[in-house]
Amino acid sequence: MFNFDQPVIRENTHSVKFDGRQQYFGTTDVSPLWVADMDFAVPECVTRALQERVNHPVFGYTLYPDSIYQAIIDWFQRRHEWAIERDWIVFAPGVVPSLFAAAKAFAQEGEGVIVQSPVYFPFFSAVTTNNRKLINNPLRANNGRYEIDFEHLEVCAQQGAKLLMLCTPHNPVGRVWDEAELQQLLQISRRYDLTILSDDIHCDLIYSGVKHTMLGRLALPGDKIITTIAPNKSFNIPGLGLSALIIPNAAERNAMKQQFESLHLGNYNPLSIAAFEAAYCGGDQWLDALMRYLEATRDFAADFIAREIPQIKLIKPEATYLLWLDCRDLGMSDTELRDFFIKKCQIGMNPGTVFGEGGSGFMRMNIGTRRAVIVDALQRIKIALGD
């Protein structure tokens, strides 16, 4: 029913991933496997909803309809066994703005915010740009699998931290934190009165044999949990921007609303609303097919790397369409590593250094594209390493 091998021409569409290559890599002659969006056409239900809305010739100020709230409630009950109440939902102009708003809402200048590197780089800038104290709780690699260092996390919390920013599933390492790990996080948050912002934007991109648990579903009354959600990554509509926060605690909810209201970030555009609702209402089959396709690509890449490029180690992801490649055995500096992939392999990836401590010697590869593109990229790496 869905052909993810169908090429989609993205050049000259003002795409960051494609049309930003010259600026980011110094050349357009690289296969773009960096920015975390996919090269697949969106589900037909989303396209249809956008077309129907475009057919109306007025694009005025728009309310959030009751139906979009219900779409969120139904999706998370159906896909994640989480019963959300309408009053908990706060719309936001994106997950990254929500990180920045949370840093301001729950920590004063100079107060601590915990992040867990290597992690998506706006986690750092949300803290430092707002003059909050960055407290790093680095993830631990244990036998090829990343874990949270809970003993060190407790030390971090004891430094007077007010907020923990959790990435779940984790970008870039691809971990899906299990229920026992999440319960430990909740216990620490209760002991030290921590607010947790749980970034679950990749929560629908889970591979078989793995279960993602929403932290908010485990929370007890009184826990201070803010969950960021959006169909943007799942259905390849990140350019439309709209996201939502699930905040059961009224005080936390009002604190976030105040941050958005202080910048008059309330209304959103009618096309974003139409796409958001359509994805959650009609995207199940497309998403299930997508995950089967991505899993086959992930497994091919893992087998190819292990067999043909043993100098590179793959931390096999449990979720997301991102591969975290351990290139340390190549013996290159981070500058040399970036130049090697750009100039010798003609592949554009995100260097691990942008993800903070623990990222040196790594590269992040986006496999959200036609499998033939990934096959070609891996062949190029093999040939370049053989020279």
Side-chain angles (χ1 to χ4, degrees):
M1 293 175 61
F2 309 102
N3 183 7
F4 296 105
D5 290 311
Q6 178 69 38
V8 177
I9 305 302
R10 298 192 62 192
E11 288 88 348
N12 302 315
T13 62
H14 312 298
S15 159
V16 171
K17 187 176 181 182
F18 282 77
D19 298 324
R21 284 177 290 182
Q22 181 66 48
Q23 180 179 348
Y24 193 79
F25 299 107
T27 177
T28 59
D29 193 20
V30 291
S31 181
L33 303 178
W34 59 306
V35 174
D37 64 17
M38 298 184 285
D39 298 335
F40 307 126
V42 302
E44 194 272 337
C45 63
V46 171
T47 303
R48 184 173 62 249
L50 288 170
Q51 289 171 337
E52 289 174 357
R53 183 61 188 85
V54 167
N55 285 338
H56 190 288
V58 178
F59 303 92
Y61 297 117
T62 304
L63 296 169
Y64 295 109
D66 292 340
S67 53
I68 196 172
Y69 289 92
Q70 195 61 49
I72 293 170
I73 291 167
D74 291 346
W75 179 267
F76 282 89
Q77 180 65 64
R78 184 167 73 247
R79 306 285 298 202
H80 297 281
E81 302 173 337
W82 188 19
I84 293 171
E85 296 181 16
R86 175 179 168 142
D87 288 347
W88 300 354
I89 300 171
V90 177
F91 285 99
V95 169
V96 172
S98 297
L99 299 177
F100 279 70
K104 295 183 70 174
F106 305 115
Q108 300 300 311
E109 287 198 15
E111 290 185 327
V113 179
I114 301 170
V115 300
Q116 298 171 312
S117 69
V119 72
Y120 182 47
F121 44 88
F123 277 60
F124 304 112
S125 54
V127 180
T128 57
T129 300
N130 287 306
N131 299 315
R132 273 57 180 171
K133 180 184 177 183
L134 181 67
I135 302 175
N136 191 22
N137 170 226
L139 300 178
R140 265 190 329 211
N142 183 14
N143 294 321
R145 191 168 192 255
Y146 281 92
E147 298 175 347
I148 296 171
D149 186 340
F150 286 102
E151 184 176 339
H152 182 256
L153 176 58
E154 193 124 10
V155 173
C156 293
Q158 290 168 355
Q159 297 178 35
K162 300 297 183 182
L163 174 68
L164 165 64
M165 291 184 175
L166 177 70
C167 194
T168 173
H170 195 280
N171 170 17
V173 308
R175 262 305 309 275
V176 174
W177 309 117
D178 62 35
E179 189 166 330
E181 291 168 311
L182 296 176
Q183 290 287 9
Q184 278 189 270
L185 284 174
L186 287 171
Q187 290 167 13
I188 290 173
S189 75
R190 291 164 189 153
R191 280 200 293 275
Y192 297 97
D193 195 30
L194 277 174
T195 297
I196 300 179
L197 184 139
S198 181
D199 174 8
D200 287 69
I201 196 171
H202 292 99
C203 68
D204 297 313
L205 301 171
I206 310 297
Y207 294 114
S208 62
V210 181
K211 178 176 174 55
H212 174 71
T213 301
M214 308 294 295
L215 179 69
R217 186 170 70 81
L218 302 178
L220 300 176
D223 287 338
K224 299 188 292 187
I225 310 299
I226 298 156
T227 305
T228 71
I229 59 101
N232 301 345
K233 298 295 184 182
S234 308
F235 297 99
N236 205 30
I237 52 174
L240 292 174
L242 184 61
S243 70
L245 305 174
I246 313 302
I247 316 176
N249 183 294
E252 307 285 301
R253 191 163 63 244
N254 289 333
M256 287 297 285
K257 284 182 177 180
Q258 287 172 12
Q259 289 300 319
F260 294 136
E261 288 168 2
S262 72
L263 297 171
H264 198 63
L265 296 173
N267 296 320
Y268 224 78
N269 76 66
L271 298 182
S272 297
I273 292 171
F276 188 113
E277 181 178 340
Y280 278 156
C281 286
D284 291 76
Q285 287 187 324
W286 185 91
L287 180 63
D288 292 340
L290 169 73
M291 290 312 301
R292 289 191 293 271
Y293 186 88
L294 288 175
E295 185 159 344
T297 302
R298 179 203 64 167
D299 292 346
F300 167 81
D303 292 343
F304 186 96
I305 291 167
R307 186 178 64 252
E308 305 290 346
I309 323 173
Q311 307 96 312
I312 296 175
K313 305 294 188 295
L314 171 62
I315 310 298
K316 195 172 183 179
E318 299 169 340
T320 82
Y321 47 80
L322 305 166
L323 302 185
W324 187 234
L325 303 176
D326 183 349
C327 304
R328 290 174 294 180
D329 287 349
L330 298 182
M332 301 181 192
S333 69
D334 288 301
T335 300
E336 291 169 337
L337 196 61
R338 186 176 186 274
D339 288 346
F340 168 77
F341 284 110
I342 293 171
K343 296 175 181 177
K344 294 203 69 175
C345 305
Q346 296 177 298
I347 301 170
M349 294 188 286
N350 293 101
T353 49
V354 303
F355 301 98
E357 182 180 340
S360 180
F362 287 77
M363 300 293 289
R364 191 189 74 172
M365 175 185 281
N366 178 350
I367 61 168
T369 187
R370 293 182 297 122
R371 193 166 305 129
V373 174
I374 302 303
V375 171
D376 176 67
L378 294 174
Q379 290 283 4
R380 289 190 208 180
I381 297 171
K382 176 186 175 182
I383 292 168
L385 287 174
D387 287 348

